[in-house]
Short mmCIF file of all heavy atoms in Angstrom, two decimals:
data_model
loop_
_atom_site.label_atom_id
_atom_site.label_comp_id
_atom_site.label_asym_id
_atom_site.label_seq_id
_atom_site.Cartn_x
_atom_site.Cartn_y
_atom_site.Cartn_z
N ALA A 7 -37.58 20.99 7.57
CA ALA A 7 -37.00 19.67 7.37
C ALA A 7 -35.46 19.76 7.39
O ALA A 7 -34.89 20.66 6.78
CB ALA A 7 -37.47 19.08 6.04
N GLY A 8 -34.85 18.88 8.13
CA GLY A 8 -33.40 18.90 8.22
C GLY A 8 -32.86 19.86 9.27
O GLY A 8 -31.69 19.89 9.53
N ALA A 9 -33.73 20.66 9.87
CA ALA A 9 -33.28 21.64 10.83
C ALA A 9 -33.31 21.09 12.26
O ALA A 9 -32.84 21.76 13.17
CB ALA A 9 -34.13 22.92 10.75
N VAL A 10 -33.86 19.93 12.46
CA VAL A 10 -33.92 19.36 13.81
C VAL A 10 -32.52 19.02 14.27
O VAL A 10 -31.75 18.36 13.58
CB VAL A 10 -34.85 18.11 13.85
CG1 VAL A 10 -34.85 17.48 15.20
CG2 VAL A 10 -36.24 18.47 13.40
N ARG A 11 -32.19 19.50 15.48
CA ARG A 11 -30.83 19.28 16.02
C ARG A 11 -30.97 18.34 17.23
O ARG A 11 -31.88 18.45 17.98
CB ARG A 11 -30.20 20.57 16.40
CG ARG A 11 -30.09 21.53 15.22
CD ARG A 11 -29.18 22.67 15.50
NE ARG A 11 -27.86 22.23 15.87
CZ ARG A 11 -26.88 21.92 15.00
NH1 ARG A 11 -27.11 22.00 13.73
NH2 ARG A 11 -25.70 21.54 15.44
N SER A 12 -30.01 17.46 17.41
CA SER A 12 -30.08 16.54 18.54
C SER A 12 -29.52 17.18 19.81
O SER A 12 -29.71 16.66 20.88
CB SER A 12 -29.33 15.26 18.20
OG SER A 12 -27.99 15.55 17.78
N ASP A 13 -28.85 18.32 19.70
CA ASP A 13 -28.33 19.02 20.88
C ASP A 13 -29.34 20.11 21.26
O ASP A 13 -29.68 20.96 20.43
CB ASP A 13 -26.97 19.64 20.58
CG ASP A 13 -26.42 20.37 21.77
OD1 ASP A 13 -25.88 19.73 22.68
OD2 ASP A 13 -26.59 21.60 21.83
N PRO A 14 -29.82 20.13 22.52
CA PRO A 14 -30.85 21.11 22.88
C PRO A 14 -30.37 22.55 22.83
O PRO A 14 -31.18 23.46 22.74
CB PRO A 14 -31.23 20.69 24.32
CG PRO A 14 -30.07 19.90 24.82
CD PRO A 14 -29.49 19.24 23.60
N ASN A 15 -29.04 22.77 22.86
CA ASN A 15 -28.50 24.10 22.82
C ASN A 15 -28.14 24.55 21.40
O ASN A 15 -27.57 25.63 21.20
CB ASN A 15 -27.27 24.22 23.72
CG ASN A 15 -27.61 23.92 25.15
OD1 ASN A 15 -28.59 24.45 25.66
ND2 ASN A 15 -26.85 23.09 25.79
N GLY A 16 -28.43 23.70 20.40
CA GLY A 16 -28.14 24.06 19.03
C GLY A 16 -26.69 23.92 18.65
O GLY A 16 -26.27 24.42 17.61
N ARG A 17 -25.89 23.26 19.48
CA ARG A 17 -24.47 23.08 19.20
C ARG A 17 -24.27 21.86 18.31
O ARG A 17 -25.10 20.95 18.29
CB ARG A 17 -23.70 22.92 20.49
CG ARG A 17 -23.70 24.15 21.35
CD ARG A 17 -22.97 23.96 22.63
NE ARG A 17 -22.16 25.18 22.86
CZ ARG A 17 -21.21 25.25 23.77
NH1 ARG A 17 -20.93 24.23 24.53
NH2 ARG A 17 -20.52 26.36 23.90
N HIS A 18 -23.15 21.83 17.64
CA HIS A 18 -22.80 20.66 16.83
C HIS A 18 -22.57 19.46 17.77
O HIS A 18 -21.98 19.62 18.83
CB HIS A 18 -21.57 20.90 16.00
CG HIS A 18 -21.70 22.02 15.05
ND1 HIS A 18 -22.66 22.04 14.06
CD2 HIS A 18 -21.02 23.18 14.91
CE1 HIS A 18 -22.56 23.17 13.38
NE2 HIS A 18 -21.57 23.89 13.88
N THR A 19 -23.05 18.31 17.37
CA THR A 19 -22.87 17.09 18.17
C THR A 19 -21.65 16.32 17.67
O THR A 19 -21.10 16.61 16.60
CB THR A 19 -24.10 16.20 18.04
OG1 THR A 19 -24.21 15.76 16.67
CG2 THR A 19 -25.38 16.91 18.47
N ALA A 20 -21.24 15.34 18.44
CA ALA A 20 -20.10 14.50 18.04
C ALA A 20 -20.38 13.85 16.68
O ALA A 20 -19.51 13.76 15.83
CB ALA A 20 -19.82 13.43 19.12
N VAL A 21 -21.61 13.40 16.47
CA VAL A 21 -21.97 12.74 15.18
C VAL A 21 -21.84 13.76 14.05
O VAL A 21 -21.27 13.42 12.98
CB VAL A 21 -23.40 12.17 15.24
CG1 VAL A 21 -23.87 11.73 13.88
CG2 VAL A 21 -23.42 10.99 16.23
N GLU A 22 -22.32 14.97 14.23
CA GLU A 22 -22.21 15.99 13.18
C GLU A 22 -20.76 16.36 12.89
O GLU A 22 -20.35 16.55 11.75
CB GLU A 22 -22.97 17.25 13.58
CG GLU A 22 -24.47 17.05 13.62
CD GLU A 22 -25.23 18.17 14.29
OE1 GLU A 22 -24.69 18.79 15.24
OE2 GLU A 22 -26.36 18.44 13.88
#
Side-chain angles (χ1 to χ4, degrees):
V10 177
R11 301 194 58 84
S12 54
D13 179 82
N15 299 313
R17 293 179 137 192
H18 299 301
T19 64
V21 169
E22 292 168 328

